[in-house]
PDB file of all heavy atoms in Angstrom:
ATOM      1  N   PHE A 174     -34.203 -56.491  14.128  1.00 76.00           N
ATOM      2  CA  PHE A 174     -35.338 -55.583  14.235  1.00 76.00           C
ATOM      3  C   PHE A 174     -35.068 -54.282  13.480  1.00 76.00           C
ATOM      4  O   PHE A 174     -35.901 -53.798  12.723  1.00 76.00           O
ATOM      5  CB  PHE A 174     -35.657 -55.314  15.720  1.00 76.00           C
ATOM      6  CG  PHE A 174     -36.764 -54.338  15.912  1.00 76.00           C
ATOM      7  CD1 PHE A 174     -38.095 -54.702  15.674  1.00 76.00           C
ATOM      8  CD2 PHE A 174     -36.510 -53.034  16.338  1.00 76.00           C
ATOM      9  CE1 PHE A 174     -39.127 -53.802  15.863  1.00 76.00           C
ATOM     10  CE2 PHE A 174     -37.540 -52.134  16.523  1.00 76.00           C
ATOM     11  CZ  PHE A 174     -38.848 -52.515  16.286  1.00 76.00           C
ATOM     12  N   LEU A 175     -33.884 -53.723  13.658  1.00 78.00           N
ATOM     13  CA  LEU A 175     -33.518 -52.464  12.993  1.00 78.00           C
ATOM     14  C   LEU A 175     -33.397 -52.671  11.488  1.00 78.00           C
ATOM     15  O   LEU A 175     -33.800 -51.808  10.704  1.00 78.00           O
ATOM     16  CB  LEU A 175     -32.221 -51.886  13.563  1.00 78.00           C
ATOM     17  CG  LEU A 175     -32.339 -51.311  14.985  1.00 78.00           C
ATOM     18  CD1 LEU A 175     -30.981 -50.881  15.499  1.00 78.00           C
ATOM     19  CD2 LEU A 175     -33.297 -50.141  15.037  1.00 78.00           C
ATOM     20  N   ALA A 176     -32.849 -53.792  11.053  1.00 82.00           N
ATOM     21  CA  ALA A 176     -32.751 -54.087   9.623  1.00 82.00           C
ATOM     22  C   ALA A 176     -34.130 -54.185   9.019  1.00 82.00           C
ATOM     23  O   ALA A 176     -34.381 -53.681   7.917  1.00 82.00           O
ATOM     24  CB  ALA A 176     -31.954 -55.371   9.399  1.00 82.00           C
ATOM     25  N   ASP A 177     -35.053 -54.830   9.738  1.00 83.00           N
ATOM     26  CA  ASP A 177     -36.424 -54.912   9.247  1.00 83.00           C
ATOM     27  C   ASP A 177     -37.050 -53.519   9.155  1.00 83.00           C
ATOM     28  O   ASP A 177     -37.760 -53.203   8.202  1.00 83.00           O
ATOM     29  CB  ASP A 177     -37.274 -55.804  10.166  1.00 83.00           C
ATOM     30  CG  ASP A 177     -36.898 -57.289  10.067  1.00 83.00           C
ATOM     31  OD1 ASP A 177     -36.218 -57.633   9.058  1.00 83.00           O
ATOM     32  OD2 ASP A 177     -37.277 -58.052  10.969  1.00 83.00           O
ATOM     33  N   LEU A 178     -36.773 -52.691  10.145  1.00 79.00           N
ATOM     34  CA  LEU A 178     -37.293 -51.318  10.140  1.00 79.00           C
ATOM     35  C   LEU A 178     -36.766 -50.542   8.938  1.00 79.00           C
ATOM     36  O   LEU A 178     -37.515 -49.825   8.272  1.00 79.00           O
ATOM     37  CB  LEU A 178     -36.879 -50.584  11.429  1.00 79.00           C
ATOM     38  CG  LEU A 178     -37.917 -50.508  12.532  1.00 79.00           C
ATOM     39  CD1 LEU A 178     -37.323 -49.872  13.775  1.00 79.00           C
ATOM     40  CD2 LEU A 178     -39.144 -49.752  12.124  1.00 79.00           C
ATOM     41  N   GLU A 179     -35.499 -50.656   8.662  1.00 82.00           N
ATOM     42  CA  GLU A 179     -34.889 -49.930   7.540  1.00 82.00           C
ATOM     43  C   GLU A 179     -35.456 -50.432   6.220  1.00 82.00           C
ATOM     44  O   GLU A 179     -35.687 -49.639   5.307  1.00 82.00           O
ATOM     45  CB  GLU A 179     -33.367 -50.092   7.562  1.00 82.00           C
ATOM     46  CG  GLU A 179     -32.694 -49.286   8.658  1.00 82.00           C
ATOM     47  CD  GLU A 179     -31.190 -49.504   8.742  1.00 82.00           C
ATOM     48  OE1 GLU A 179     -30.619 -50.281   7.934  1.00 82.00           O
ATOM     49  OE2 GLU A 179     -30.569 -48.888   9.622  1.00 82.00           O
ATOM     50  N   THR A 180     -35.700 -51.732   6.102  1.00 87.00           N
ATOM     51  CA  THR A 180     -36.282 -52.298   4.881  1.00 87.00           C
ATOM     52  C   THR A 180     -37.673 -51.748   4.677  1.00 87.00           C
ATOM     53  O   THR A 180     -38.059 -51.375   3.568  1.00 87.00           O
ATOM     54  CB  THR A 180     -36.320 -53.831   4.974  1.00 87.00           C
ATOM     55  OG1 THR A 180     -35.028 -54.317   5.261  1.00 87.00           O
ATOM     56  CG2 THR A 180     -36.806 -54.454   3.685  1.00 87.00           C
ATOM     57  N   ILE A 181     -38.451 -51.656   5.752  1.00 86.00           N
ATOM     58  CA  ILE A 181     -39.820 -51.129   5.669  1.00 86.00           C
ATOM     59  C   ILE A 181     -39.769 -49.655   5.249  1.00 86.00           C
ATOM     60  O   ILE A 181     -40.527 -49.221   4.386  1.00 86.00           O
ATOM     61  CB  ILE A 181     -40.564 -51.318   7.009  1.00 86.00           C
ATOM     62  CG1 ILE A 181     -40.810 -52.808   7.270  1.00 86.00           C
ATOM     63  CG2 ILE A 181     -41.869 -50.545   7.013  1.00 86.00           C
ATOM     64  CD1 ILE A 181     -41.321 -53.095   8.670  1.00 86.00           C
ATOM     65  N   GLU A 182     -38.858 -48.884   5.825  1.00 83.00           N
ATOM     66  CA  GLU A 182     -38.740 -47.458   5.502  1.00 83.00           C
ATOM     67  C   GLU A 182     -38.313 -47.279   4.058  1.00 83.00           C
ATOM     68  O   GLU A 182     -38.824 -46.403   3.351  1.00 83.00           O
ATOM     69  CB  GLU A 182     -37.718 -46.769   6.422  1.00 83.00           C
ATOM     70  CG  GLU A 182     -38.223 -46.515   7.817  1.00 83.00           C
ATOM     71  CD  GLU A 182     -37.167 -45.863   8.707  1.00 83.00           C
ATOM     72  OE1 GLU A 182     -36.045 -45.571   8.227  1.00 83.00           O
ATOM     73  OE2 GLU A 182     -37.451 -45.640   9.871  1.00 83.00           O
ATOM     74  N   ALA A 183     -37.384 -48.113   3.587  1.00 84.00           N
ATOM     75  CA  ALA A 183     -36.898 -48.009   2.221  1.00 84.00           C
ATOM     76  C   ALA A 183     -38.013 -48.334   1.233  1.00 84.00           C
ATOM     77  O   ALA A 183     -38.177 -47.668   0.210  1.00 84.00           O
ATOM     78  CB  ALA A 183     -35.709 -48.918   2.002  1.00 84.00           C
ATOM     79  N   SER A 184     -38.812 -49.359   1.534  1.00 87.00           N
ATOM     80  CA  SER A 184     -39.907 -49.732   0.632  1.00 87.00           C
ATOM     81  C   SER A 184     -40.980 -48.675   0.643  1.00 87.00           C
ATOM     82  O   SER A 184     -41.579 -48.387  -0.401  1.00 87.00           O
ATOM     83  CB  SER A 184     -40.466 -51.108   0.982  1.00 87.00           C
ATOM     84  OG  SER A 184     -41.098 -51.060   2.251  1.00 87.00           O
ATOM     85  N   GLN A 185     -41.227 -48.034   1.772  1.00 85.00           N
ATOM     86  CA  GLN A 185     -42.219 -46.959   1.833  1.00 85.00           C
ATOM     87  C   GLN A 185     -41.705 -45.734   1.079  1.00 85.00           C
ATOM     88  O   GLN A 185     -42.473 -45.065   0.389  1.00 85.00           O
ATOM     89  CB  GLN A 185     -42.520 -46.582   3.287  1.00 85.00           C
ATOM     90  CG  GLN A 185     -43.395 -47.588   3.996  1.00 85.00           C
ATOM     91  CD  GLN A 185     -43.646 -47.181   5.462  1.00 85.00           C
ATOM     92  OE1 GLN A 185     -43.051 -46.215   5.950  1.00 85.00           O
ATOM     93  NE2 GLN A 185     -44.495 -47.929   6.120  1.00 85.00           N
ATOM     94  N   ALA A 186     -40.419 -45.472   1.194  1.00 80.00           N
ATOM     95  CA  ALA A 186     -39.839 -44.319   0.497  1.00 80.00           C
ATOM     96  C   ALA A 186     -39.869 -44.561  -1.006  1.00 80.00           C
ATOM     97  O   ALA A 186     -40.160 -43.643  -1.785  1.00 80.00           O
ATOM     98  CB  ALA A 186     -38.406 -44.083   0.965  1.00 80.00           C
ATOM     99  N   ALA A 187     -39.577 -45.813  -1.437  1.00 82.00           N
ATOM    100  CA  ALA A 187     -39.607 -46.130  -2.874  1.00 82.00           C
ATOM    101  C   ALA A 187     -41.037 -46.082  -3.377  1.00 82.00           C
ATOM    102  O   ALA A 187     -41.300 -45.592  -4.473  1.00 82.00           O
ATOM    103  CB  ALA A 187     -38.999 -47.496  -3.109  1.00 82.00           C
ATOM    104  N   GLY A 188     -41.969 -46.568  -2.615  1.00 76.00           N
ATOM    105  CA  GLY A 188     -43.373 -46.547  -3.009  1.00 76.00           C
ATOM    106  C   GLY A 188     -43.919 -45.120  -2.967  1.00 76.00           C
ATOM    107  O   GLY A 188     -44.692 -44.709  -3.825  1.00 76.00           O
ATOM    108  N   GLY A 189     -43.530 -44.325  -1.994  1.00 65.00           N
ATOM    109  CA  GLY A 189     -44.020 -42.935  -1.867  1.00 65.00           C
ATOM    110  C   GLY A 189     -43.365 -42.056  -2.899  1.00 65.00           C
ATOM    111  O   GLY A 189     -43.956 -41.146  -3.421  1.00 65.00           O
ATOM    112  N   GLY A 190     -42.120 -42.331  -3.297  1.00 55.00           N
ATOM    113  CA  GLY A 190     -41.429 -41.520  -4.295  1.00 55.00           C
ATOM    114  C   GLY A 190     -41.950 -41.830  -5.676  1.00 55.00           C
ATOM    115  O   GLY A 190     -41.949 -40.998  -6.553  1.00 55.00           O
TER     116      GLY A 190
END
Side-chain angles (χ1 to χ4, degrees):
F174 177 74
L175 289 175
D177 290 343
L178 261 175
E179 286 176 1
T180 306
I181 292 170
E182 284 178 2
S184 67
Q185 285 179 353

